[in-house]
Amino acid sequence: MIVITGATGQLGRLVIQSLLERGATPASLVAAVRQPARAADLAALGVQVRQADYEQPETLQTAFAGAEKVLLISSSELGRRAAQHRAVIEAARAAGVALLAYTSVLRADTSELGLAGEHRETEAMLAASGLPHVVLRNGWYTENYLASVPATLQHGVLLGSAGAGRIASAARADYAAAAAAVLLAPAAEQAGRVHELAGAPAWTLAEFAAELGRLSGRSIPYQDLPPAEYQGILAGAGLPGPLAELLADSDACASRGALDGSDAALQALIGRPATPWTAQLAAALSA
């Protein structure tokens, strides 16, 4: 039995889809979700749906009953993640799982990304727990930048603070496929491993803007801004303050290489090259 936490999130659904495509039986999968009603489609596939809330440890104990493996998809609640992840680790240990897989961030141990802090805390908790575990250090999702395409087309300029930093992104589905491959491998083969996952080819925001311009038949320049100014623009556009700060910080760190990396580990796990960012951009425009 494999339990996937956050199973109704964007990554969680893709992990379940990939597990099924790779031969896992629906009955062997548990979608652990905060609101089971939102997982009706998964239940219709035969996947077990169990209520699990990171803030309610008793629900985690019930959700993990009988589990051999658990995928802890990191929480999206900035500032609360370390405590929530601790609850999951403790519940997994109590359930006696053979392997806990955790979605961290690329080079979490040395990354200067602001969001890496809670990942480091979680990885330290895992190391101290004695629980057999494997860490999936996911690089950047191409989707993080595809979300800005409508506004970029509206205003005719791509804004950011990444300078000439290269971004080795991959599709969210690529990272989901890597997680599925790890979960279906023997637990003893994966325990203790750290997978540094990134896509290829890496690209800059200027290249992203140029390709967007080519595909749309328009001139789309990239305008590089100081991080504080970029953060202010994001907040002014309606993004919550912490998210605007995170995005501006991530861009600033990207300018110093924090989002660049090798695709070797990802390609080895999924058995194919990562989805090219250019293909994703073209598909997003077509949609």
Side-chain angles (χ1 to χ4, degrees), residues 75-81 84 115 118 242-243 246:
S75 167
S76 60
E77 297 182 46
L78 301 176
R80 287 288 307 152
R81 295 196 293 182
Q84 292 174 343
L115 60 79
E118 288 179 300
L243 179 58
L246 181 149

Side-chain angles (χ1 to χ4, degrees), residues 89-235:
I89 292 168
E90 291 177 351
R93 184 170 56 186
V97 304
L99 185 72
L100 187 147
Y102 172 62
T103 61
S104 187
V105 70
L106 188 66
R107 297 187 297 275
D109 54 339
T110 60
S111 177
E112 63 174 305
L113 288 167
L115 60 79
E118 288 179 300
H119 287 299
R120 276 193 294 273
E121 287 185 64
T122 302
E123 290 190 20
M125 284 183 238
L126 282 168
S129 71
L131 190 66
H133 63 277
V134 55
V135 179
L136 297 158
R137 288 181 174 167
N138 291 348
W140 223 234
Y141 300 152
T142 305
E143 288 87 347
N144 292 348
Y145 284 100
L146 293 179
S148 68
V149 166
T152 298
L153 291 174
Q154 179 183 353
H155 298 291
V157 61
L158 176 64
L159 303 178
S161 295
R166 304 198 70 77
I167 300 165
S169 69
R172 186 177 279 110
D174 294 336
Y175 294 113
V182 164
L183 291 168
L184 291 174
E189 175 186 299
Q190 291 297 322
R193 300 189 66 178
V194 175
H195 298 281
E196 298 282 2
L197 306 176
W203 47 276
T204 66
L205 287 183
E207 291 170 343
F208 187 94
E211 181 66 6
L212 177 57
R214 187 186 71 81
L215 291 170
S216 63
R218 300 171 55 185
S219 176
I220 307 288
Y222 168 58
Q223 184 177 350
D224 197 59
L225 301 170
E229 183 178 348
Y230 182 46
Q231 178 180 335
I233 290 173
L234 292 173

